[in-house]
């Protein structure tokens, strides 16, 4: 009986620590999917200018994109867990959701046991979709600004390294973050 109790307590302590740790395989998978979508929608050259860092050909863009979006996906999941925990604990949840309990609103199946997971996944997906759309819009704005200003003034405005070759990516990053805030 003591062994069972000790194992149960240890499992209860380890599982939350693991689930809140760093990015998971699911975060990387979602990030990879997001980067494939961005590459398809932006076009290869614009995608490379946005994420690539190797000066000669920027062929490392996909890996850099996945790395950046993995962190974003992880943060979206953590934020979604917090929001869902708050909703689940809210005593007035039913009053603001057509009289449905948290489990009835988010859950599926006869017992609605998957409500918390469904809540987290829906909120994380919504945040990721918004961030991806902000990035697409920012890339289009930066492309038109670069065409309007010319390459030299654009690089001076946004560039942050020795030869200002990272100007396009910095522009996209700055505008996408501004849209999120």
């Amino acid at each position: 009986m003591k062994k069972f109790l000790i194992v149960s307590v240890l499992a209860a302590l380890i599982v939350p620590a693991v689930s809140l740790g760093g990015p998971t395989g699911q975060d990387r998978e979602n990030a990879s999917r997001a980067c494939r979508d961005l590459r398809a929608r932006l076009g290869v050259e614009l995608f490379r200018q946005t994420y690539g860092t190797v000066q000669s050909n920027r062929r490392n863009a996909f890996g850099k994109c996945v790395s950046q979006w993995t962190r974003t996906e992880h943060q979206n999941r953590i934020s979604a867990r917090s929001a869902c925990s708050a909703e689940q604990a809210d005593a007035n949840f039913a009053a603001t959701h057509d009289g449905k309990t948290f489990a009835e609103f988010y859950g599926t199946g006869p017992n609605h046991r998957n409500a918390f997971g469904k809540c987290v996944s829906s909120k994380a997906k919504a945040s990721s979709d918004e961030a991806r759309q902000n990035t697409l819009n920012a890339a289009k704005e930066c492309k038109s600004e670069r065409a309007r200003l010319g390459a030299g003034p654009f690089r001076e405005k946004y560039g942050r390294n020795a030869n200002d070759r990272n100007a396009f990516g910095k522009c996209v990053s700055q505008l996408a973050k501004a849209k999120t805030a």
Side-chain angles (χ1 to χ4, degrees):
M1 182 67 177
K2 282 185 178 183
K3 286 182 183 180
F4 178 74
L5 181 60
I6 291 171
V7 170
S8 298
V9 169
L10 287 175
L13 294 173
I14 292 171
V15 171
V18 170
S19 66
L20 294 177
T24 64
Q26 184 66 38
D27 293 331
R28 281 185 290 281
E29 184 179 316
N30 290 343
S32 182
R33 193 174 309 124
C35 291
R36 279 193 300 274
D37 177 56
L38 285 169
R39 184 176 55 191
R41 293 173 73 182
L42 289 174
V44 174
E45 191 56 38
L46 204 55
F47 179 81
R48 285 182 179 166
Q49 290 173 9
T50 303
Y51 292 103
T53 59
V54 175
Q55 297 304 321
S56 61
N57 58 18
R58 299 179 188 266
R59 292 195 186 267
N60 68 338
F62 193 81
K64 293 292 185 178
C65 177
V66 170
S67 178
Q68 177 184 333
W69 278 93
T70 297
R71 290 187 297 274
T72 301
E73 292 289 337
H74 177 67
Q75 188 55 49
N76 288 343
R77 186 172 45 84
I78 297 301
S79 297
R81 286 178 64 96
S82 296
C84 291
S85 291
E87 280 187 22
Q88 193 175 31
D90 184 11
N92 297 323
F93 184 86
T96 57
H97 293 85
D98 298 327
K100 293 182 179 179
T101 66
F102 180 84
E104 291 170 337
F105 188 78
Y106 287 109
T108 59
N111 297 327
H112 307 293
R113 289 187 180 163
N114 61 349
F116 191 79
K118 292 287 186 179
C119 176
V120 171
S121 65
S122 68
K123 289 187 182 305
K125 183 180 181 329
S127 294
S128 296
D129 290 347
E130 180 184 2
R132 194 173 4 207
Q133 191 59 48
N134 288 345
T135 300
L136 287 169
N137 293 340
K140 290 175 184 177
E141 286 179 38
C142 290
K143 183 179 178 182
S144 66
E145 185 176 359
R146 183 177 58 187
R148 184 173 41 83
L149 292 176
F154 182 82
R155 284 182 181 163
E156 286 177 26
K157 182 176 180 180
Y158 293 105
R160 300 286 187 270
N161 61 8
N163 59 7
D164 296 333
R165 291 283 191 184
N166 65 344
F168 193 82
K170 293 297 182 182
C171 175
V172 171
S173 178
Q174 182 180 341
L175 290 178
K177 285 178 184 173
K179 291 177 185 292
T180 303

